[in-house]
Amino acid sequence: DFFNQLNEKLSRKEKKMKRALVILMLALLPLVALAQKDIRETQSQITYEIPLNGPQGAIQQKNYDKVKVESIVAQIRDAKTRGDVQRSEQLQNELEITTGNISEKSSGNNDGFQVNNEVLNQNIPAGDYNLTIINGTDANWSVATSTDRVTGRIYVVSTKFASGVSDTVKVFTSSNNGISWVLVNRISYGSAVHFNNDEIDVEAMNNGTTSYVYIVAGFNFSSVNYSAIYRLNSSGSEFYSTNLYTASASTSFINPRLTSDNSKYTSLSYLYIILTQDTLLAGNLHQLRTKFAIITAPYTAAPTVTYRNFFSNNSYFWIATSVADTTKMYNDIAFSDSASFDKIVTVSNYYKYSVTNLYLTYSNDYGATTPTYCPSITDANVNYKPRFASTGLDVGGFQYMVITYVRKFSATDWDPYYQRTTNNGVTWTGGYVDASTDTTTYADVIAIPRIPNTFRFAYSTISNNSDGKAYVRAYNGALIGTRLLLNQTPSSINYTPVRAGYRLANTDSCFTVVQGLPSSVGIYAYSGCSGTLTGTGTNETPVSFKLSQNYPNPFNPVTKIAYELPKSGLVTLRVYDILGKEVATLVNEVKNAGSYSVDFNASNFTSGVYFYKIETNGFSDIKKMMLIK
């Protein structure tokens, strides 16, 4: 009996221990779940007021006549739509006076630096359909790319390392979707200037007749960090440059980024620039602040740079004061159209600081006054180098924008992450571009202009400290395509490994540049994201016939007409005058399924109303456009 009672007691105790263990496991389940990635896209938390725990301190803004500013801005938008350059400049001068901003015209002396540029126009041997190696023997600090949406011309710009002498900027261009290239210009300094890692950005622009590329770059000379801006045309013959702001031993201007509204306007586009001012304080502490500039006449011989820093502390908005030397501030900028105003949006983050949110600004007046509102996107994870892209044209009252960045999940697991909005930034949703366990070193995104909700991601990863791999993913209508490996040669893990671009191809519009190894030598230009390059890819074939409204409209003298074909067939696209007389045939040939666009140049036509009509596979549609000279 004694042993029976003992066994019964032990049995009861064992049952209690089992129940306790089950309870403990249930309690730990949420912690286990937290250690797993949630790969679902989720609604992001937005703070629409300046966060109390953010980097921003108290700020005083200048006084201005708000009603007058709104009136001037509305008139500027009207002048830009009509292509009235003279009226736009008059209004911008009036806006400067009203708000108290300061314009600085390029003096051409680059603050004492001797800038040299050589027009080269050297042909680069073509590769195959997918890959061409550009400057295969050069080591580069950084690389960037941009595409002229009017002509499809692609630009690639690199900062070439040179030992003991000045580094150089090399400008390459391709007119056949990245298959063959021309080295059009080489920019250098008379002094021992060295460009900084990943401090280069480019923006292709077209005024309807000439293709240009703007370049911003950060460089170091005698331990002082400068930022400069350059502009060239497609042949390299028209050159302009100037430094941005005035740097010193205690004040650096770094991490410049730029964008334009050329996706909406052609003959009267604006260029927008954002960069970081890093001021050295006592005790080796730093003050980091955003700086904003605008060029309202980017096609003139010597453009005026207008610095718009509206606050009493001489910043555009976001500031972090008294931070350690290890803290880095990164920014990016995008243009977003809306139904009633042009919107300039910026994003900033602070790497190796106590705050990890993404900090935004929205301006409805070209950055002339206090940003309309300054929300932050909550992110508890450490993040690095946000990159911003917008499709740039209003679609039914909404606008699509995407931010991508490298986001920490664990000590060895960093991921390319995104935030996207379909309503011009009212709400944001976040998700993984790639949720693998590799360590992502760099992430980039670009939008395909005027095609709603269409973006291209590019990113690089390393695993077990090995050399990197580069990937591209298409993003169409909120659907992320297959992860596609680009490089057979490992990419650099020390400098800018990969940058996203696009090409004006019908169904395979990816374009990506990758820096190669060893020692970051060479730039690899990949055209496409399907076919022989990767074996599989995404298909962007339209689901229905569509004729889009021409843009810009009204126009002078060039406008773009886009159309979509869900299947192949004979396509005719003709232009008629107000009396119904055919005046031009833009397309008259068999086309494969896909998305297309064609330019209508009305240089030889008189002002007035015209109609364009598409006919294919039993489908027809007519739309009206207006030429104003």
Side-chain angles (χ1 to χ4, degrees):
D1 290 341
F2 170 77
F3 286 106
N4 288 336
Q5 292 176 6
L6 180 60
N7 286 330
E8 186 177 346
K9 287 181 180 179
L10 290 174
S11 178
R12 287 198 298 268
K13 183 177 288 188
E14 184 179 1
K15 290 179 181 179
K16 288 181 180 180
M17 291 178 65
K18 288 181 178 179
R19 284 198 299 269
L21 181 60
V22 170
I23 293 172
L24 178 61
M25 292 178 65
L26 290 174
L28 291 176
L29 276 177
L31 299 179
V32 174
L34 286 175
Q36 304 299 318
K37 291 180 182 176
D38 185 352
I39 62 173
R40 299 170 299 176
E41 185 178 77
T42 57
Q43 189 79 27
S44 300
Q45 181 181 345
I46 311 296
T47 301
Y48 289 97
E49 297 178 357
I50 299 175
L52 297 178
N53 62 342
Q56 190 65 29
I59 202 165
Q60 292 182 350
Q61 61 187 42
K62 301 174 184 177
N63 294 322
Y64 66 96
D65 187 334
K66 184 177 180 180
V67 174
K68 185 175 181 180
V69 167
E70 290 177 349
S71 174
I72 295 172
V73 169
Q75 294 177 69
I76 291 173
R77 181 180 169 102
D78 177 68
K80 285 169 65 65
T81 302
R82 293 183 289 103
D84 191 338
V85 178
Q86 183 177 0
R87 180 58 176 159
S88 170
E89 287 303 294
Q90 291 174 347
L91 290 165
Q92 284 292 345
N93 291 334
E94 186 177 346
L95 187 62
E96 291 296 300
I97 295 171
T98 304
T99 61
N101 278 301
I102 301 172
S103 295
E104 178 180 325
K105 188 171 183 178
S106 170
S107 62
N109 63 9
N110 292 280
D111 296 335
F113 287 92
Q114 178 185 348
V115 181
N116 307 305
N117 79 98
E118 305 169 74
V119 180
L120 300 174
N121 286 316
Q122 297 176 357
N123 291 321
I124 306 297
D128 61 26
Y129 179 75
N130 290 122
L131 171 62
T132 298
I133 301 175
I134 306 175
N135 67 333
T137 60
D138 287 351
N140 300 280
W141 291 113
S142 56
V143 65
T145 183
S146 184
T147 301
D148 179 347
R149 68 158 186 87
V150 176
T151 65
R153 179 179 293 276
I154 304 174
Y155 293 92
V156 168
V157 180
S158 69
T159 49
K160 174 191 173 183
F161 167 77
S163 177
V165 295
S166 280
D167 299 336
T168 58
V169 177
K170 285 189 170 183
V171 183
F172 304 87
T173 185
S174 172
S175 59
N176 57 4
N177 283 332
I179 298 174
S180 60
W181 292 84
V182 177
L183 171 59
V184 296
N185 206 294
R186 181 167 52 209
I187 306 166
S188 62
Y189 288 86
S191 305
V193 163
H194 298 288
F195 288 93
N196 298 325
N197 294 350
D198 193 29
E199 290 195 27
I200 191 170
D201 198 20
V202 299
E203 178 75 1
M205 301 181 69
N206 195 304
N207 64 0
T209 58
T210 305
S211 180
Y212 294 92
V213 62
Y214 266 92
I215 306 161
V216 288
F219 64 87
N220 182 278
F221 174 71
S222 294
S223 300
V224 178
N225 289 307
Y226 300 82
S227 283
I229 185 167
Y230 319 99
R231 187 202 64 193
L232 304 101
N233 62 354
S234 59
S235 66
S237 59
E238 295 183 27
F239 179 76
Y240 152 83
S241 73
T242 189
N243 282 354
L244 296 169
Y245 298 97
T246 303
S248 67
S250 61
T251 303
S252 298
F253 293 96
I254 57 177
N255 300 323
R257 302 284 294 180
L258 80 170
T259 192
S260 74
D261 53 23
N262 199 217
S263 56
K264 178 178 180 182
Y265 305 101
T266 302
S267 62
L268 190 46
S269 306
Y270 286 175
L271 186 79
Y272 309 96
I273 306 160
I274 191 170
L275 67 165
T276 299
Q277 178 179 325
D278 184 341
T279 303
L280 180 62
L281 306 176
N284 203 33
L285 297 175
H286 292 253
Q287 182 183 75
L288 304 174
R289 66 181 73 181
T290 51
K291 304 289 279 187
F292 173 82
I294 182 174
I295 297 179
T296 58
Y299 307 122
T300 59
T304 299
V305 180
T306 302
Y307 299 108
R308 291 191 166 160
N309 303 299
F310 190 70
F311 298 109
S312 58
N313 57 15
N314 200 30
S315 72
Y316 180 59
F317 193 79
W318 293 111
I319 306 172
T321 302
S322 299
V323 299
D325 183 60
T326 54
T327 299
K328 306 298 179 183
M329 181 184 193
Y330 298 104
N331 312 288
D332 206 357
I333 189 167
F335 165 80
S336 175
D337 183 31
S338 77
S340 57
F341 49 81
D342 297 335
K343 180 177 289 188
I344 312 303
V345 190
T346 71
V347 60
S348 304
N349 85 322
Y350 297 84
Y351 181 60
K352 294 189 177 180
Y353 189 41
S354 58
V355 294
T356 55
N357 296 336
L358 300 176
Y359 297 94
L360 307 173
T361 69
Y362 298 75
S363 173
N364 297 344
D365 56 17
Y366 308 105
T369 65
T370 313
T372 309
Y373 54 104
C374 305
S376 63
I377 301 176
T378 301
D379 196 329
N381 295 54
V382 174
N383 51 75
Y384 180 62
K385 287 190 178 179
R387 297 305 185 219
F388 208 167
S390 168
T391 49
L393 185 64
D394 175 63
V395 180
F398 296 102
Q399 180 61 51
Y400 301 91
M401 296 183 285
V402 166
I403 302 169
T404 191
Y405 50 97
V406 177
R407 183 172 183 261
K408 181 180 180 180
F409 180 74
S410 68
T412 59
D413 186 358
W414 294 66
D415 304 290
Y417 202 80
Y418 70 83
Q419 300 284 344
R420 71 180 185 96
T421 178
T422 61
N423 52 20
N424 228 339
V426 176
T427 59
W428 292 83
T429 53
Y432 286 95
V433 179
D434 188 335
S436 69
T437 58
D438 291 339
T439 298
T440 299
T441 59
Y442 196 86
D444 196 24
V445 64
I446 197 167
I448 300 184
R450 300 186 176 187
I451 301 180
N453 215 10
T454 305
F455 299 85
R456 299 289 176 261
F457 291 109
Y459 56 100
S460 58
T461 67
I462 58 174
S463 180
N464 298 323
N465 294 319
S466 64
D467 295 330
K469 295 181 179 179
Y471 297 93
V472 64
R473 297 193 84 160
Y475 187 97
N476 306 305
L479 297 176
I480 298 182
T482 305
R483 183 181 83 161
L484 305 169
L485 176 64
L486 289 177
N487 55 322
Q488 301 303 317
T489 300
S491 65
S492 164
I493 62 174
N494 297 315
Y495 305 113
T496 315
V498 60
R499 292 293 286 269
Y502 73 91
R503 60 184 191 146
L504 297 184
N506 297 332
T507 59
D508 195 7
S509 53
C510 293
F511 174 77
T512 315
V513 287
V514 177
Q515 286 184 220
L517 288 178
S519 302
S520 302
V521 170
I523 295 175
Y524 295 76
Y526 293 93
S527 297
C529 52
S530 64
T532 57
L533 178 66
T534 58
T536 60
T538 57
N539 190 343
E540 300 168 37
T541 302
V543 296
S544 61
F545 291 103
K546 181 180 179 181
L547 178 65
S548 298
Q549 185 64 52
N550 67 299
Y551 199 87
N553 188 39
F555 67 99
N556 178 30
V558 179
T559 190
K560 186 177 291 291
I561 300 171
Y563 58 96
E564 298 178 1
L565 310 174
K567 62 179 181 179
S568 61
L570 177 64
V571 179
T572 60
L573 181 60
R574 297 183 172 92
V575 179
Y576 302 85
D577 63 18
I578 193 68
L579 299 177
K581 178 183 176 182
E582 181 182 329
V583 296
T585 298
L586 304 181
V587 180
N588 185 21
E589 60 181 304
V590 173
K591 294 282 191 181
N592 292 326
S595 299
Y596 297 85
S597 65
V598 61
D599 287 340
F600 173 47
N601 190 326
S603 300
N604 299 325
F605 294 85
T606 59
S607 298
V609 175
Y610 293 84
F611 300 89
Y612 56 98
K613 180 180 181 180
I614 190 172
E615 293 181 294
T616 178
N617 283 295
F619 169 80
S620 66
D621 194 9
I622 299 175
K623 293 189 182 298
K624 180 173 70 174
M625 57 184 170
M626 180 172 291
L627 172 62
I628 299 178
K629 292 187 173 182

